[in-house]
Amino acid sequence: MANNFTTAKYDNGFEETACEICGQSSRKVVAKRTDLLLGGQDIYFMCECQECESLYLTPRPTPSRMAEFYPDEYQPYTVGVHAESFLNRYVRRYGLKKRYKIIEKYVKQGDLLDVGCATGDFLAEVTLQSGWQVVGIETSVSAVRYAREQVGLNVLVSTLNQASFPKESFDVITMWDVLEHVYDPCVVLDEVGRLLRPGGIFVVNHPNLDSIDRYLFGRFWAGFELPRHLYLFPTKLLNDLMEQRNFRQVERNCLYGSHAGTSTSLRFYIQYVFGSGVLSKIFTRIALSKVARILSVPYFKVIDALKMGSNVTAVFQKQNLNL
Ligand SMILES: [Zn+2]
């Protein structure tokens, strides 16, 4: 969705923008790189807002051009967890169960909305528990078709704001790796505030600007994910934005994805150092092997305990103003 912060549009389908969060344009470039995930020669600039300290992409693809950066083979849109091999299914479900457990600590049952649900893996995990009515929204038509036809879920092709759910429809709203992809985070957070019931929780997993990977890998850090990541949030900024909407942070932990994040950053770095030849393939295979993963378990345990994993999950609870 376009917003009022666009300051210039170019013929190539890109636009300049001010920071949507504070409306200011003063910024400095903190990462400059190509699309390391899908390839291409265009260079993107992740900037830090000098006013509110958010990080944002400018120039960025316009919403109509952005679709080409989300092809059907984009990893979150590929086959769901139930179609995986036994071992992969076990590992992925372990992560999904961890996501559910964080919710269960605050809300035991009710109405749950997963924003950007992709093929519906998390929703499917929730439906295995009793007492939940779940709905998902997702902008990828192919992912929605899969979630409906292969997993049997109630999923809509929509953004959060276009879905127009009635006020206070949900007890839980989840955004797993989604908020950083939206053009208008403040508008989206306003809608979260409108849709949750008092006492309900908003669970948001997002790239961790305090992660060790950001400092180790610099511009190769997977959290930048240019040009698909449009905004990145420092801890204090996201807390302030939610407090302005009558939410209180009740938890902030590195819950999952630290290994995947570091693996991706490492792969990008190896490709930069060794190119795309045999040497690069050998090092990548070693770094991403199952043995390396097992050996690195203690490292990630420590990193996660220090809340310095590549991603972080924050839980915000909507306050009851009538108490
Ligand atoms: Zn700002």
Side-chain angles (χ1 to χ4, degrees), residues 19-24 26 49-54 56 237:
C19 169
E20 194 243 12
I21 294 165
C22 68
Q24 301 299 310
S26 57
C49 174
Q50 299 300 279
E51 190 68 27
C52 75
E53 299 184 354
S54 75
Y56 66 102
L237 176 63

Side-chain angles (χ1 to χ4, degrees), residues 112-114 117 120-127 134-136 153-155:
L112 181 146
L113 170 67
D114 189 23
C117 66
D121 281 350
F122 175 66
L123 289 175
E125 191 66 37
V126 177
T127 58
V134 304
V135 58
L153 292 165
N154 177 18
V155 176

Side-chain angles (χ1 to χ4, degrees), residues 133-149:
Q133 300 81 47
V134 304
V135 58
I137 54 173
E138 168 57 57
T139 54
S140 164
V141 174
S142 65
V144 168
R145 188 181 306 124
Y146 189 96
R148 282 180 185 163
E149 296 175 2

Side-chain angles (χ1 to χ4, degrees), residues 57-77:
L57 175 65
T58 188
R60 65 190 183 185
T62 59
S64 56
R65 172 128 197 234
M66 188 58 104
E68 75 186 66
F69 297 99
Y70 289 90
D72 285 350
E73 60 269 27
Y74 180 57
Q75 192 268 334
Y77 299 159

